[in-house]
Amino acid sequence: MVDLLIVGGGIMGLWAAVMADRAGLKTVLVERDRIGAGASGGVLGALMPYMPDRWDVKKQFQFDALVTLEQEIAGLEAQTGMSAGYRRSGRLMPLPKPHLRKIALRHEQDALVNWAQAGKQFFWHVQDDPAAKGWPESEAMASGLVFDTLAARVDPRRFLQVLTASLRLSPHVRIEEGQALAALDPVAGQATFADGRSLAFGACILAAGAETFRHLDGLEQPPVSGSSGTAVKGQAAVLKADLDPALPVIFMDGLYIVPHDNGLVAVGSTSENSFSDPLSNDHLLDDLLHRARAVVPLLGGAPVVERWAGLRPKAIGRDPMTGRHPNYPRLYTLTGGFKISFGLAHRLAASVIAEMAGQPDESLPDSFRCSSHFSLLRAP
């Protein structure tokens, strides 16, 4: 018998285990393959804020999470002696059209009001000069560009290694890889695994990415015609380029160009709702690389050292799906972050662990709550 069973060894599950450890919960984390085998083991690592205008509880929650993540990572790095490849490098957004500059100038003022916390002020600068020559090239920024100082980047795989190393030091948490969940009884508090072993639990967090939706849908009584969420395929690549790792992330029309350490630059990512092979690369990634080299000709001769593809979880309500299941008091969800999981996972995990302890997180947006998503699933 354990206090908590966590299903899934990606960014959500690992942070849930960290927060459970801090709460002193006897915890087992199971991963059907290996830690980071799913979408969390990708290559991009861009930590991007929402726009600073039209402020609401969702934007405030994400802002707070992005600000506090830096300190959380620093603490884990100090504990483990490892690096997560984190840097608050900022983000550049080229402005190819004059009307976009006008909008950006309004956002510049919005950031002065909304992007401030505990004496820290982050900015949305509208400027005419790139961060460095060719970053990006001038044609992409015909009307200037935005430099936002809130955005950051992290190396996804190194970050998972840091989290895992921290958990290996815990007296409360056990990690079991190669353990696939076969059946879940959230009423009795019993999980059965593919090898026939069973485990009793006080509470369970489903944090298995897109696989979470399959487990949740199987529990619906009576069965519903829709699904609690879906998988969205993403493709990305890593290039080897002799560039300054402190350069800001470039974002333009869905294209991310992310400088990492050791001369590596990640380019991503596609968002594919229809696909035949979830792990293959094709012309869509080639098109993305072509766009990246057009925006930054410095990447023209940079060889591709890795091509990646994976499935990201998108809940029915599009926002993260967090918290207690409306029908099963022992069952909690932590999934559906889609493109924003790495920046929010620590705050979402803390929210779930607090809810278990009878301390609901009032700052959690209603649209993030598991109950909100299931109300959409069951709508007539």
Side-chain angles (χ1 to χ4, degrees), residues 259-335:
H260 287 286
D261 300 332
N262 304 318
L264 300 177
V265 179
V267 173
S269 63
T270 65
S271 293
E272 304 165 46
N273 294 307
S274 177
F275 47 86
S276 56
D277 185 347
L279 301 179
S280 67
N281 298 118
D282 55 28
H283 68 281
L284 295 177
L285 180 57
D286 293 333
D287 293 344
L288 206 63
L289 288 167
H290 178 75
R291 287 182 58 204
R293 287 168 170 145
V295 173
V296 181
L298 295 172
L299 299 177
V304 176
V305 296
E306 181 181 352
R307 294 171 182 262
W308 178 89
L311 297 180
R312 296 169 300 197
K314 185 170 72 171
I316 186 172
R318 301 185 64 87
D319 289 330
M321 181 188 284
T322 307
R324 182 179 284 118
H325 191 290
N327 287 353
Y328 302 107
R330 292 176 184 258
L331 186 61
Y332 297 78
T333 61
L334 197 53
T335 189

Side-chain angles (χ1 to χ4, degrees), residues 33 44 171 190 213 222 230 259 277 308 377:
D33 190 343
L44 202 59
Q190 193 83 13
F213 306 130
T230 188
D277 185 347
W308 178 89
L377 178 63

Side-chain angles (χ1 to χ4, degrees), residues 60-80:
Q60 184 67 51
F61 187 90
Q62 191 215 36
F63 173 79
D64 293 340
L66 289 173
V67 172
T68 57
L69 180 59
E70 183 171 7
Q71 183 177 354
E72 288 279 5
I73 290 177
L76 291 167
E77 289 178 331
Q79 179 194 26
T80 62

Side-chain angles (χ1 to χ4, degrees), residues 182-193:
L184 185 70
D185 185 341
V187 176
Q190 193 83 13
T192 305
F193 301 98

Side-chain angles (χ1 to χ4, degrees), residues 50 54-65 317-320 340 344 363-368:
Y50 291 123
R54 292 182 292 180
W55 208 244
D56 58 18
V57 293
K58 186 190 303 187
K59 291 189 175 185
Q60 184 67 51
F61 187 90
Q62 191 215 36
F63 173 79
D64 293 340
R318 301 185 64 87
D319 289 330
I340 60 174
L344 294 178
S363 69
L364 185 74
D366 286 342
S367 62
F368 285 17

Side-chain angles (χ1 to χ4, degrees), residues 159 201 351:
F159 191 11
F201 58 81
S351 176

